[in-house]
Amino acid sequence: SVPTPITGTVTNDVHDDFQSHALGRRIAGWNTYSPQWAPVAIAAEGTNRFVRLEDRDPCDYASVTRVFPQSRLARLAFQVRAHQTNATSAPLEIDVVSGNGTRAVALALNPTNGQITAWNGATRQNLRAYSTNVWISVELIVDADRAVYDLKLDGATLLTGAAFLEPSPSVERVVFRTGAFRLRDFTRRPD
């Protein structure tokens, strides 16, 4: 599902707060991919409301995408929480991408080893362990002019000047996905 009216760009800074959102599958301003066995919805625990991505599907995944103003220098801050750490759970992958989907930044909460991982160029690094049911504050500074990003988790700097996974002249979307990235043949992507 996509927000209507459909627009190709966002011009205002994004400051989403889900506390005033109604519970359910409509998430204002977000593109959602919510298969039957991998639902996406606004959920609540006590007074806290948040976007919940579930995944019980052996062949598909849940995904939400937030478009923000096209930027060569962007600051993104959000919180995430994992409910599972075991070998049978799907990873929660977080990508910061360009308008055509080029992944500048790729992070993951990897349930097979309980580690938060990030790509630094062509190298995947384990950054730190995470625990289930604990909110993690994430802050990214993405600099497309230098093709690098900085990463803080819970206020601690873990990466400075990490290289982009794929070259990108700008970024304009953040994607949260409960499965591995699928497109591997980049010759099929239009420029």
Side-chain angles (χ1 to χ4, degrees):
S1 93
V2 295
T4 56
I6 295 173
T7 61
T9 60
V10 171
T11 56
N12 297 325
D13 287 343
V14 175
H15 299 283
D16 286 337
D17 179 352
F18 302 109
Q19 303 316 305
S20 62
H21 280 62
L23 299 179
R25 292 187 153 206
R26 297 254 180 229
I27 306 171
W30 289 71
N31 299 329
T32 60
Y33 179 67
S34 183
Q36 185 69 31
W37 291 352
V40 173
I42 296 288
E45 289 178 356
T47 59
N48 185 30
R49 292 182 183 218
F50 51 90
V51 177
R52 174 178 285 151
L53 284 76
E54 296 181 45
D55 192 344
R56 298 178 302 279
D57 195 315
C59 301
D60 212 346
Y61 55 67
S63 176
V64 294
T65 302
R66 183 57 159 113
V67 180
F68 55 86
Q70 182 181 25
S71 306
R72 292 193 338 245
L73 182 62
R75 178 188 173 269
L76 292 88
F78 52 88
Q79 293 183 316
V80 296
R81 178 179 68 171
H83 281 280
Q84 296 175 326
T85 55
N86 61 55
T88 62
S89 299
L92 174 64
E93 294 198 358
I94 304 161
D95 296 336
V96 181
V97 302
S98 69
N100 72 353
T102 302
R103 296 187 308 156
V105 177
L107 311 173
L109 278 70
N110 186 344
T112 58
N113 64 5
Q115 291 283 315
I116 298 172
T117 61
W119 287 92
N120 185 351
T123 305
R124 186 183 330 195
Q125 298 177 237
N126 288 333
L127 300 178
R128 72 162 226 212
Y130 68 92
S131 300
T132 58
N133 299 312
V134 175
W135 288 100
I136 302 164
S137 295
V138 178
E139 181 180 350
L140 289 161
I141 305 295
V142 183
D143 185 345
D145 288 338
R146 295 178 34 231
V148 297
Y149 68 97
D150 299 339
L151 172 66
K152 289 183 181 179
L153 297 176
D154 293 327
T157 301
L158 297 183
L159 290 174
T160 302
F164 278 9
L165 175 60
E166 300 171 10
S168 180
S170 64
V171 292
E172 62 181 73
R173 296 179 188 151
V174 61
V175 179
F176 298 83
R177 182 182 55 249
T178 62
F181 181 71
R182 290 186 185 152
L183 182 62
R184 300 290 179 213
D185 178 8
F186 299 108
T187 61
R188 295 182 297 136
R189 179 184 290 145
D191 289 334

